[in-house]
Amino acid sequence: MLELQDLCFQVSDDADKQKEIIRDVNLTFQDHAFIAITGPNGGGKSTLAKLIMGIEQPTSGRIVYNGTDITKMNITERAKLGISFAFQQPVRFKGIKVRDLIRLAAGTDIPFSSICDYLSRVGLCARDYVNRDVDASLSGGELKRIEIATIIARGTPLSVFDEPEAGIDLWSFSNLIQVFEKMHRESDRSLIIISHQERILNIADEIVVLSGGNVQARGRRKDILPELLEGTQSCKFYAAAQP
């Protein structure tokens, strides 16, 4: 279980004034859940994901994972506890082959057949990719799917995805929807996905609406999604509340 308790995050603006990006966020994510976090651009969604992973440190508040206070832990320490993170823009690794990246993610010298399986799950032909470098020669969609393959290989209890639809083509996106559905259906993992896309919201168990750095709504998909899709309610939820 992941708990965000009175979480706040501030940055200094050009005038050296403090600006609240996340304010007083209280959320509990139960095990084996699929949560989609949505809301307007600039509402704090990606920042919240980075706070969960330890890429950013909160100004105040606590983050508790399975009873352990991880607020001061760094990325490596959180990863060792079982949290994975997929960036909005996947990292490129010059000089590292796809096969080596997946083995690093798995934490063991897995056989070639397992690497092929992980790649095939995200719609990539292993023969065409295992010996490719994880560099600029790969498209955004290819990198995104390879990154998700590494998360599947890690097999951690909690995976956080920051806008997985960003920069990929329609075919790749359709394939990713199936990947997320399968991850949720066939494992005990918890998924937290930051997304604007209706198709992702439509497969989540719960939806959290974040605007102005604060939770505006949370509930089951069947209760929240229809309101988000209605014009008047969309205006209500997506109006960017200024701190």
Side-chain angles (χ1 to χ4, degrees), residues 116-134:
C116 294
D117 178 58
Y118 293 133
L119 289 173
S120 67
R121 290 192 203 181
V122 296
L124 295 176
C125 176
R127 180 181 58 189
D128 296 334
Y129 287 93
V130 286
N131 293 315
R132 295 275 300 273
D133 285 330
V134 188

Side-chain angles (χ1 to χ4, degrees), residues 31-33 156-158 183-191:
D31 293 338
H32 319 315
T156 54
L158 173 61
M183 286 179 69
H184 183 45
R185 184 175 63 249
E186 297 182 357
S187 72
D188 292 331
R189 304 181 189 189
S190 295
L191 304 179

Side-chain angles (χ1 to χ4, degrees), residues 25-192:
V25 167
N26 287 277
L27 288 169
T28 298
F29 302 106
Q30 299 294 335
D31 293 338
H32 319 315
F34 184 163
I35 310 294
I37 301 178
T38 193
N41 290 331
K45 302 184 302 299
S46 291
T47 299
L48 187 65
K50 291 175 182 177
L51 289 170
I52 292 171
M53 192 64 230
I55 298 169
E56 300 283 4
Q57 290 292 321
T59 306
S60 61
R62 298 172 73 226
I63 303 174
V64 179
Y65 181 59
N66 290 337
T68 299
D69 189 336
I70 65 171
T71 311
K72 301 298 183 182
M73 290 186 180
N74 60 33
I75 301 171
T76 302
E77 291 168 326
R78 298 188 198 200
K80 288 179 179 178
L81 284 179
I83 304 176
S84 294
F85 188 87
F87 290 87
Q88 187 176 139
Q89 299 295 329
V91 180
R92 300 176 188 270
F93 300 93
K94 186 177 180 180
I96 297 181
K97 304 291 184 185
V98 170
R99 64 174 187 270
D100 298 323
L101 185 63
I102 293 177
R103 281 181 173 138
L104 283 171
T108 184
D109 189 16
I110 58 175
F112 184 79
S113 59
S114 295
I115 296 173
C116 294
D117 178 58
Y118 293 133
L119 289 173
S120 67
R121 290 192 203 181
V122 296
L124 295 176
C125 176
R127 180 181 58 189
D128 296 334
Y129 287 93
V130 286
N131 293 315
R132 295 275 300 273
D133 285 330
V134 188
D135 59 13
S137 67
L138 294 168
S139 70
E142 289 169 329
L143 279 170
K144 187 77 70 172
R145 285 187 276 174
I146 289 167
E147 181 182 52
I148 293 174
T150 65
I151 289 179
I152 295 173
R154 283 204 73 209
T156 54
L158 173 61
S159 297
V160 182
F161 297 86
D162 186 7
E163 296 197 28
E165 69 272 15
I168 67 171
D169 58 84
L170 183 60
W171 187 92
S172 296
F173 178 64
S174 297
N175 186 269
L176 291 186
I177 294 294
Q178 297 175 26
V179 171
F180 293 138
E181 286 182 310
K182 187 172 182 179
M183 286 179 69
H184 183 45
R185 184 175 63 249
E186 297 182 357
S187 72
D188 292 331
R189 304 181 189 189
S190 295
L191 304 179
I192 298 175

